Amino acid sequence: MVLAGCDAPRSSRDSAAGSPVWEKVVPGGDCRCADGSAFSYWERRADPTRVVLFLNGGGVCFDARMCAFTSTDSPGENDFYNWNQQSAQSPDDQQSGFFALTRADNPFTGYSVIYVSSCTGDAHLGNVAQTYSPTLTVQHRGYVNGTAALDYLATHYPNAAQVVGIGKTAGSIAAPLYGGLVADRLPHAKVTVFGAQSGAWPDNPDFNATVLGRAWGAYDAVPAWAVDGLTVRDWGVPRFWVQAAHHTPGLTLSRFDYAFDPHAAAEVTRWMPGNPPNLLAVIDANEAAIEAAGLILHSYTAPGASHGLFENDSYYDIKVNNVRLVDWLDALVTNESPDDVHCDRCDPL
């Protein structure tokens, strides 16, 4: 069960000139980062009828080495994940790519945005205090934090007609489940999910039980519909799409991946088939398995081994088979049904 008490009053949202600004929300209560420090998310209030719930990446961890509270390049971060928000970049500091929210060819220009940072190492899925060693207990509370932001969205945007759940890298793992949660809270809204760069995450029974089940406590944290009919060993990341679609048939589901992104699933390659695994083959097999369950997963697969997508203006330059990604996304969120886009030559270089 999700613990209560993670919300905060609203504050002023607009600058003196009347343009939308980013405001930090510190929910308090049971929300927290991995080391027990305060968690916060951000709001940019614009059109109250069109809202993006943005689940940011930030890495994952699931053992004492990965989860250690030992800073490397920046305070509050190690080589695997952000364990607090000391160095978390405000979305206000990002003016390019997706965050150019006044640019004419940005499909999300004019949208309100709830931006949820990750500082728990569990892909917005966990609800457990996990002891990895006598000196290391990690608060995997990503699901508590994420649903607090979601509840805030539902409370303060009750007339939202369109909600787009965007997940970036590790944040995209849980994106379809959050799509179903949005639909539960705002049943009259059109809900679209865009999960970017987790298409290669495997459905491996050992990973499912070891990480999703035991380390993060995710299997026990999510609502009953998300695991309906599945044991923890059956409940792999590709199944999240299927469970969400069966729960909310009206969801529009979509994903993006670079064919050979070396960072998008680096933590879980040991659970993939092949030695070394062929990332594109895993992505394509996952999509085939998802669609074999009877749902439509709109997809855009780009060539190469890039990693960044939302942070810079290459977001506007991506074009595969003469289809720009931003045009494809625009069609996706304007009630059209774009064809899948898949690179013909998907070389990693």
Side-chain angles (χ1 to χ4, degrees), residues 3 45 52 82 88 108 130 134 155 163 181 200 244 331:
L3 302 175
R45 188 169 180 85
V52 168
N82 301 343
F108 304 104
Q130 186 62 254
T155 299
V163 180
L181 292 167

Side-chain angles (χ1 to χ4, degrees), residues 34-275:
D35 64 346
S37 60
F39 163 76
S40 60
Y41 53 91
W42 293 81
E43 178 188 22
R44 179 187 185 272
R45 188 169 180 85
D47 184 346
T49 68
R50 298 182 299 154
V51 188
V52 168
L53 177 68
F54 193 104
L55 300 175
N56 197 30
V60 298
C61 76
F62 37 81
D63 61 37
R65 179 181 67 95
M66 297 173 72
C67 295
F69 301 149
T70 304
S71 297
T72 48
D73 292 338
S74 301
E77 301 178 22
N78 65 25
D79 291 335
F80 297 98
Y81 81 123
N82 301 343
W83 43 270
N84 66 32
Q85 294 183 316
Q86 289 185 68
S87 300
Q89 187 177 25
S90 161
D92 202 24
D93 297 331
Q94 303 179 62
Q95 303 294 327
S96 302
F98 165 87
F99 298 96
L101 290 164
T102 59
R103 180 166 164 162
D105 56 345
N106 187 341
F108 304 104
T109 285
Y111 278 66
S112 295
V113 182
I114 305 293
Y115 176 90
V116 186
S117 296
S118 173
C119 62
T120 55
D122 57 23
H124 304 280
L125 285 167
N127 188 10
V128 69
Q130 186 62 254
T131 298
Y132 288 105
S133 78
T135 59
L136 180 65
T137 296
V138 174
Q139 298 292 333
H140 287 305
R141 304 292 183 182
Y143 187 74
V144 180
N145 298 346
T147 51
L150 174 55
D151 289 342
Y152 183 93
L153 186 161
T155 299
H156 296 295
Y157 297 86
N159 298 316
Q162 184 170 42
V163 180
V164 182
I166 294 178
K168 170 193 167 186
T169 56
S172 67
I173 294 164
L177 298 182
Y178 277 84
L181 292 167
V182 170
D184 287 344
R185 289 159 172 77
L186 295 171
H188 302 296
K190 178 185 185 295
V191 182
T192 301
V193 175
F194 180 53
Q197 298 165 271
S198 63
W201 276 61
D203 185 358
N204 179 287
D206 292 335
F207 169 80
N208 301 343
T210 301
V211 177
L212 299 177
R214 184 164 63 249
W216 296 348
Y219 181 83
D220 293 327
V222 298
W225 60 258
V227 298
D228 184 36
L230 301 172
T231 69
V232 66
R233 290 181 63 81
D234 297 327
W235 192 61
V237 171
R239 302 287 184 106
F240 296 176
W241 299 91
V242 177
Q243 297 298 106
H246 287 173
H247 176 64
T248 310
L251 283 178
T252 298
L253 300 172
S254 63
R255 50 147 284 265
F256 169 90
D257 285 281
Y258 291 108
F260 293 99
D261 182 345
H263 304 294
E267 307 91 337
V268 293
T269 52
R270 77 186 83 165
W271 288 288
M272 294 182 195
N275 186 22

Side-chain angles (χ1 to χ4, degrees), residues 274-314:
N275 186 22
N278 181 312
L279 295 180
L280 180 59
V282 176
I283 291 167
D284 289 344
N286 282 345
E287 179 167 344
I290 291 166
E291 294 197 324
L295 60 129
I296 296 173
L297 179 59
H298 302 285
S299 64
Y300 193 114
T301 306
S306 297
H307 184 63
L309 175 63
F310 295 105
E311 304 88 345
N312 52 58
D313 285 340
S314 62

